[in-house]
Amino acid sequence: MNERPPVTFVCAALTLVLAGAAACDKGSGEEGTAPSATASAPSASSPEANASASAAAAAAAASASARAFALKGNSRHHVGLAGVLLRGAYEFSLNADQRASLDKAEDQLYADAASSPWTALKSFNTDLVTGIRADKLDNAKLKTDYDAVDKAVQAGEAREADALNTLHAALDATQRQALADQVRARRLGHERKSPVGADGGAPDHVKMRLVRMTADLALDDAQQKSVGALLAKDPTLNAAAVQAKRDAAHKQLDTLLTEFAKDDFDAKKVDLSQGGTKTPHESMERHATFTSQLLPILHPDQREKLALHTERMGARPGRYFDEMEPGSPGIGPEEEGAFPRMR
């Protein structure tokens, strides 16, 4: 009588049969059979894997370089409207030669810090603070400051025009248009909506300014009346005047971007002044005049609050120039930003 084969032997035999059948099925090309992972995956040391790793490393390096370049652009300061394009180019896709050209042009703008617009502005702000604490502004010193600001800003605008021409020459026609479109889109995206009054109509800028100053300087009822009367005399606080200034600034920016995209662009033939004022120091002088009228109304502790606030604002020189949106508040009493919330 034949002995029954052990169970282990039967299982092993079945395993071999099933494995052979699976191999035959795979060879026949029937659907539903996955290729061997070992056979299809490239070796870690294969040329394909090395090329993929190199491409990923190059992409990461390029991305890091672009971020560093954009951050460098954020540190650049300008006094004219050319800055919207010069700074915008740092976030644009430039090749190595174009980046080097832009960087070189920017490095030459304000190499001499002593004669820069920001040094002149700091002197004005220092003299203004001194006058506030003394309860009397020194108009002779301020006049010297105005002259220094005008000279430095006008020289800066001329150098920025040269830098903008350098950038224009470094780009081809397609890039110029693309950069202009990019800057225009970004500015529109950051554009502040025109404020409206409580009734949905034009805002009362005099009232808005008075409310803010009352909170910032703790004005009493009598002081509010006096300061309100001063603000009411300022024609630049008229809603129509504020809107006209904003519209003019946007038109100026649009003109610059349109001209930049042209082959025959020359920055020296375009108005690159910031704020549309007759002179660079115009808003500063208006601010000083308003301050001199405000001082007799304030108590000593309120004057110190104003002095401290003015010092803090002086530590933010970019606010007075390139970091402002076209048509947005400047530093004069007619501007929304003349007395921002004190912190």
Side-chain angles (χ1 to χ4, degrees), residues 16-136:
L16 290 174
V17 171
L18 292 175
C24 291
D25 288 343
K26 182 169 64 175
S28 65
E30 292 181 3
E31 293 181 0
T33 304
S36 169
T38 303
S40 61
S43 169
S45 60
S46 69
E48 294 85 351
N50 290 337
S52 178
S54 297
S63 178
S65 176
R67 287 195 298 271
F69 193 66
L71 288 174
K72 187 173 185 179
N74 289 334
S75 69
R76 300 292 194 179
H77 293 294
H78 308 87
V79 296
L81 197 57
V84 298
L85 278 163
L86 292 172
R87 289 182 67 175
Y90 280 88
E91 298 181 358
F92 193 67
S93 180
L94 302 177
N95 62 38
D97 290 340
Q98 291 169 330
R99 290 185 180 187
S101 180
L102 175 60
D103 258 349
K104 182 178 179 180
E106 287 271 30
D107 288 339
Q108 296 173 347
L109 287 180
Y110 302 105
D112 181 12
S115 61
S116 75
W118 293 276
T119 297
L121 180 60
K122 184 177 181 179
S123 294
F124 160 76
N125 197 75
T126 297
D127 290 337
L128 186 62
V129 170
T130 298
I132 291 173
R133 289 195 165 115
D135 199 16
K136 181 178 177 60

Side-chain angles (χ1 to χ4, degrees), residues 26 33 50 79 155 165 181 205 224 238 240 308 312 320:
K26 182 169 64 175
T33 304
N50 290 337
V79 296
N165 282 338
D181 291 343
H205 294 283
Q224 290 180 48
N238 179 279
L308 290 172
R312 286 195 294 269
Y320 301 112

Side-chain angles (χ1 to χ4, degrees), residues 251-270:
K251 182 179 180 180
Q252 182 188 8
L253 173 61
D254 189 64
T255 297
L256 169 62
L257 298 179
T258 299
E259 291 299 316
F260 181 79
K262 298 179 180 179
D263 291 339
D264 60 350
F265 170 77
D266 184 354
K268 292 187 178 296
K269 296 180 180 180
V270 181

Side-chain angles (χ1 to χ4, degrees), residues 225-240:
K225 291 181 180 178
S226 297
V227 173
L230 283 180
L231 293 171
K233 294 178 181 179
D234 188 348
T236 63
L237 281 176
N238 179 279

